[in-house]
Amino acid sequence: MTAALDIVATGMVTAVGLDAPSSCAALRARLDGFKETQYADDEGEWLLGSPVTMPRKWIGQKRMTHMLAAAISEICTAVPQARERTPMLLCLPEASRPGSPVQDASAFLRNVCAILEMAVDPRSRTISHGRPSGLVALEQARRLLAEGGTSAVIVAGVDSYLTPEAIGFYLANRRLLATNNPNGFIPGEAAAAVLCTHAGHGSGLRLHGLGLARENAYIYNEADEPLRGDGLTTAYRHALKEAGIEMNQLGFRISDLIGEQYWFKQTALASLRLVRGAHDFQDLWSPGESLGNIGAAAVPVMIGMAFAAARKGYAAGNPVLIEASEDSGACGAAIFAARAA
């Protein structure tokens, strides 16, 4: 049993802004937060990263806690009722990922609530699937809304690749953009949150379709199995079928592209396999152009981008498809349409 779902408020903490309005304005202007880090590549050159400028020099899990609390606080300021018995679905890095900045998910949830001075709702959960976590959270959010007992759900995500262990691992696996590797990503960090409510609660974005799938030819398995984009194509199909539209009826897409060729190929294949008939130009946006790889924060950030674009009238079309994938093949897509005020 599921229910329609509306997005009514957003919050962000990124390398280009410490709230959603400033972050979205910077993303729209194609500004970036890239700067030299304290980490060097194999040639001795400083690696680029996209760190958040924090008021204090917090590190590790404490840093992530304060970043996420700030993003959630922003939506609670916009909608004060969100502080009252609202389940939180926290999107976190993959549990097995080297150098994850969140080591204890349950303690992390409690600490975020403590900073916000909110009770831990027993329906709150942590979702540790990296970049697609927010899409899994949307599925869980609409189930919670359908079950009753709550009129809103907070979906929030936080992540950072700027840890010594993560840098060492991805550098060794030739995944980072470096002097001797143009096919890599820039490590970033961010936090973002969106407030989900029952459909019909005013202007904003409405979720019309959602699809989750898995790609067998994932990035570490591409040499053994040719990439056809089967996983993302399946996710697209499910989302489009639920929304009752065809691929050529999409206005634009927002993707979690992080800079490596693999992800561009996957997105292109999924689109080419499904688009039929004449259609207008479909723009493709990505927060990665400005923020690098922000992991589990990607989906809430992309929803925030679509929300701001719809509110301010600069969206590249309607509806919008938001997609995300992660290294072990999990992927998904969601279709949102803007609602008039």
Side-chain angles (χ1 to χ4, degrees):
M1 181 181 181
T2 59
L5 175 154
D6 282 356
I7 305 295
V8 297
T10 65
M12 287 189 203
V13 174
T14 72
V16 294
L18 297 182
D19 57 26
S22 58
S23 292
C24 289
L27 290 168
R28 181 187 182 190
R30 303 292 177 90
L31 302 179
D32 67 62
F34 304 144
K35 60 181 66 175
E36 290 183 345
T37 68
Q38 61 183 333
Y39 306 108
D41 63 19
D42 296 335
E43 303 292 325
E45 299 293 331
W46 299 117
L47 290 168
L48 288 179
S50 186
V52 172
T53 301
M54 300 286 284
R56 297 183 187 176
K57 293 184 178 181
W58 293 305
I59 60 172
Q61 187 158 306
K62 185 173 184 179
R63 180 180 179 84
M64 299 296 101
T65 304
H66 282 275
M67 284 170 55
L68 187 58
I72 296 173
S73 179
E74 187 178 350
I75 63 173
C76 290
T77 298
V79 185
Q81 304 94 300
R83 291 185 177 275
E84 302 169 8
R85 283 186 51 77
T86 302
M88 290 187 192
L89 302 176
L90 300 192
C91 305
L92 302 175
E94 303 91 330
S96 60
R97 197 179 83 201
S100 170
V102 178
Q103 299 300 318
D104 187 331
S106 297
F108 184 82
L109 171 60
R110 293 193 298 271
N111 292 339
V112 169
C113 289
I115 292 174
L116 293 166
E117 298 181 343
M118 295 171 64
V120 179
D121 190 283
R123 295 161 296 186
S124 294
R125 297 287 184 272
T126 58
I127 302 166
S128 302
H129 297 306
R131 293 198 302 276
S133 295
L135 298 171
V136 177
L138 287 174
E139 176 64 24
Q140 295 188 14
R142 61 182 186 177
R143 289 185 181 276
L144 283 172
L145 291 169
E147 291 168 2
T150 184
S151 60
V153 178
I154 293 171
V155 171
V158 67
D159 207 339
S160 177
Y161 283 81
L162 292 165
T163 66
E165 296 85 358
I167 294 294
F169 174 80
Y170 289 104
L171 192 60
N173 283 272
R174 294 187 59 79
R175 295 286 306 279
L176 297 184
L177 182 67
T179 306
N180 59 0
N181 183 30
N183 181 30
F185 69 80
I186 295 175
E189 61 184 7
V194 298
L195 183 63
C196 309
T197 68
H198 289 290
H201 286 220
S203 62
L205 290 177
R206 175 165 297 177
L207 177 64
H208 284 271
L210 182 64
L212 301 172
R214 182 168 293 278
E215 173 59 60
N216 291 326
Y218 53 89
I219 193 166
Y220 292 118
N221 194 38
E222 190 185 8
D224 299 323
E225 187 164 344
L227 176 62
R228 292 164 25 94
D230 291 337
L232 198 57
T233 300
T234 299
Y236 274 27
R237 280 201 180 104
H238 289 326
L240 290 165
K241 182 177 180 180
E242 186 179 341
I245 63 173
E246 299 293 333
M247 186 76 186
N248 62 1
Q249 294 174 277
L250 289 174
F252 70 113
R253 291 179 290 158
I254 308 180
S255 175
D256 64 333
L257 301 172
I258 56 173
E260 295 169 294
Q261 293 176 6
Y262 172 90
W263 311 107
F264 288 95
K265 290 179 184 176
Q266 179 183 240
T267 294
L269 286 167
S271 176
L272 288 170
R273 290 178 62 180
L274 291 178
V275 70
R276 298 288 185 275
H279 64 89
D280 293 332
F281 171 74
Q282 291 180 357
D283 205 354
L284 180 63
W285 297 1
S286 174
E289 296 178 15
S290 297
L291 305 177
N293 188 355
I294 54 173
V299 169
V301 165
M302 291 189 288
I303 295 173
M305 291 170 67
F307 184 86
R311 278 284 180 91
K312 293 186 175 293
Y314 63 87
N318 193 37
V320 56
L321 181 144
I322 290 172
E323 65 174 60
S325 307
E326 57 95 35
D327 291 355
S328 63
C331 56
I335 295 172
F336 290 90
R339 288 171 46 77

